[in-house]
Amino acid sequence: MRKWIAFLAFLLVPLTAAPVLSFEMQDIAVHGFVSQGYLHAEDNNFLADTEDGSFQFNEAGINFSTNITSQLRVGIQLFARDQGEIGNDEVVIDWAYGDYRWRDWLGVRAGIMRGVLGLYNEIRDFDMLRTSILLPQSVYNEYQRDFFSRIKGVGLYGDISLEKFGVISYQAMVGTGEIDEDGGIALQAESSGFLEFVDSDLGTVYNGGIQWHFPEAGIRFGITGYKTTDNETDIRLTIPLGPNVPPGLPAKDVLDEFYTVVYSVEFIYENLILAVEHMDMKRKSSITGFPRRIETDPEGFYISAAYRFTDWLEMGTYYSVYLGDEDDPDGEELEARGLRDYQAWQKDFALTARFDINPNWLVKLEGHRIDGAALLLPQENPDGYEEDWYLFAAKVTFNF
């Protein structure tokens, strides 16, 4: 409780005295943001050592863009974040590409591009563009954030007018990606307890989506997807998996099949925003020398609402459900393996208050009531899990 009081006191710094900032430098547009957050969870650790409260929850980015011609635009964003063991404030190129818009219905991008998945994956780095601190984890898993955020390759996009019936927008990208050995995907892979992540080759990545915008009705529908082929991960076994698979043996985790599809609906009416999204994932892999193929089918969905009461106050809420395997929603198979049944699901009810101090500063406070532990990692919770737990989050963001 003292840590919460100390952080709330920190929020009372006279932010209202800050000037409004925005500038361009010789036709180069420069924008950026920096945020500092705080997480405290009762009984479980999530993303960091949150049982004791953690300030390892920050982000910063700066981007530069300019128009070379009326149709050609180039830009780059540098980004760093820290979420417990993830990121550690290492600066990375978040995106960097050239964008040639030939017609409204056809544009071409090449470079390091933002991945599309659901309604909000492209803007998830920009805290000022959403209500909540943590997006619903059933669709926007923080441990998988880097994995779905960037694609190195080429892409097509465009907007097709349907006149009075709105606009169809599409994106299609092909390229490759990367997995950080200290990132969230590696931590999730090592949570099995029998392997150590070494390196990964994602092979070919396909990503894209299509959305129908109907502005007169304030609604948009979308389907987005992500697929990889020829994915191989170098691992080192930590326990024997059979007579021919001893511990310490270098091996490969071959991803035979992997795809994710998200179905999305958003409705906007005046100051009200409603959204519903559903995620289906399929993962089949095999380890060299190990006869059994590993298969999981995670599923997630959420419903959310946000309402802006004044220029400075917005409130939001969502209910999010994540299942580690849609074929085992009640955790019976996990119990048969000696685990807790509630490790099969994670159900999250969240409530957020957003305070826009001025165009450059904003403050958010957020509470979560959570049932289940499907998204928690054993290496972050060596003493086990509690089924019912609470998470408090706070965040201050400056952007220009």
Side-chain angles (χ1 to χ4, degrees):
M1 180 60 73
R2 285 187 211 165
K3 290 186 176 71
W4 292 19
I5 294 173
F7 186 74
L8 291 174
F10 166 73
L11 298 184
L12 297 178
V13 172
L15 302 179
T16 54
V20 175
L21 297 180
S22 179
F23 62 90
E24 294 189 0
M25 185 173 57
Q26 295 181 348
D27 298 325
I28 298 177
V30 182
H31 298 282
F33 56 89
V34 59
S35 66
Q36 177 61 59
Y38 176 77
L39 296 173
H40 183 92
E42 297 288 346
D43 301 318
N44 292 316
N45 288 317
F46 176 63
L47 295 176
D49 186 12
T50 51
E51 279 194 81
D52 296 324
S54 175
F55 284 96
Q56 286 188 292
F57 186 48
N58 59 265
E59 301 165 317
I62 186 167
N63 60 72
F64 308 85
S65 61
T66 189
N67 289 317
I68 304 299
T69 71
S70 61
Q71 294 174 300
L72 177 61
R73 187 172 183 83
V74 296
I76 184 172
Q77 175 164 291
L78 304 178
F79 179 72
R81 69 172 174 137
D82 184 26
Q83 290 181 339
E85 297 298 318
I86 302 173
N88 298 314
D89 291 321
E90 180 181 352
V91 178
V92 300
I93 298 176
D94 198 26
W95 50 261
Y97 56 80
D99 184 327
Y100 182 76
R101 189 70 180 253
W102 183 56
R103 295 287 189 273
D104 288 343
W105 55 271
L106 180 61
V108 181
R109 293 189 182 115
I112 303 174
M113 301 171 292
R114 298 294 300 175
V116 294
L117 197 67
L119 296 170
Y120 308 119
N121 191 64
E122 290 176 277
I123 63 169
R124 68 185 303 173
D125 290 344
F126 300 98
D127 185 57
M128 69 292 299
L129 298 181
R130 65 176 188 269
T131 307
S132 63
I133 295 176
L134 292 171
L135 286 166
Q137 296 298 288
S138 56
V139 176
Y140 302 99
N141 188 330
E142 282 295 322
Y143 290 105
Q144 299 173 358
R145 177 172 169 177
D146 293 338
F147 179 74
F148 288 115
S149 288
R150 291 180 286 274
I151 294 177
K152 300 177 183 179
V154 296
L156 302 177
Y157 71 95
D159 301 311
I160 302 171
S161 175
L162 303 179
E163 297 182 351
K164 64 180 181 179
F165 296 105
V167 176
I168 296 290
S169 299
Y170 71 90
Q171 292 194 60
M173 292 174 277
V174 61
T176 188
E178 59 184 25
I179 296 177
D180 188 345
E181 62 179 333
D182 297 320
I185 290 288
L187 288 175
Q188 285 189 318
E190 293 176 346
S191 69
S192 62
F194 63 80
L195 63 87
E196 175 187 349
F197 182 93
V198 178
D199 194 14
S200 182
D201 178 6
L202 283 183
T204 303
V205 172
Y206 301 94
N207 178 222
I210 186 169
Q211 290 188 352
W212 174 47
H213 305 255
F214 195 12
E216 290 187 8
I219 196 167
R220 62 170 168 159
F221 298 92
I223 301 176
T224 49
Y226 187 102
K227 179 180 175 62
T228 66
T229 61
D230 305 319
N231 185 319
E232 291 187 351
T233 300
D234 293 320
I235 61 174
R236 186 174 296 108
L237 301 176
T238 57
I239 63 174
L241 295 184
N244 299 320
V245 193
L249 180 72
K252 287 188 180 294
D253 183 353
V254 180
L255 200 58
D256 302 314
E257 182 179 9
F258 177 82
Y259 67 81
T260 300
V261 179
V262 178
Y263 306 91
S264 311
V265 181
E266 183 184 66
F267 173 71
I268 300 176
Y269 177 73
E270 294 183 350
N271 294 331
L272 175 67
I273 301 176
L274 303 176
V276 178
E277 295 196 272
H278 184 276
M279 179 275 296
D280 280 318
M281 182 181 291
K282 173 78 73 174
R283 186 185 190 281
K284 295 180 181 179
S285 66
S286 54
I287 297 175
T288 54
F290 185 56
R292 185 171 65 88
R293 189 163 70 169
I294 302 168
E295 180 176 348
T296 57
D297 299 322
E299 179 183 22
F301 67 88
Y302 76 87
I303 181 169
S304 69
Y307 189 84
R308 179 161 288 277
F309 292 91
T310 69
D311 290 341
W312 58 269
L313 176 62
E314 184 171 296
M315 301 286 292
T317 185
Y318 62 74
Y319 180 66
S320 168
V321 176
Y322 175 82
L323 302 176
D325 191 339
E326 63 181 6
D327 296 325
D328 186 29
D330 299 320
E332 295 179 359
E333 294 183 15
L334 292 182
E335 280 193 301
R337 289 159 44 194
L339 302 174
R340 302 285 188 176
D341 61 347
Y342 56 81
Q343 290 177 244
W345 67 80
Q346 191 158 311
K347 303 172 184 179
D348 181 359
F349 174 73
L351 182 64
T352 308
R354 167 177 169 156
F355 305 93
D356 290 78
I357 308 302
N358 62 37
N360 296 111
W361 288 94
L362 65 90
V363 174
K364 297 180 182 180
L365 302 175
E366 187 166 286
H368 296 255
R369 166 69 171 82
I370 302 174
D371 170 22
L375 292 170
L376 301 181
L377 300 183
Q379 59 266 52
E380 294 178 345
N381 294 273
D383 298 326
Y385 313 107
E386 292 294 330
E387 179 176 359
D388 298 309
W389 52 292
Y390 297 88
L391 174 67
F392 169 78
K395 199 173 188 182
V396 179
T397 298
F398 172 73
N399 68 92
F400 63 89

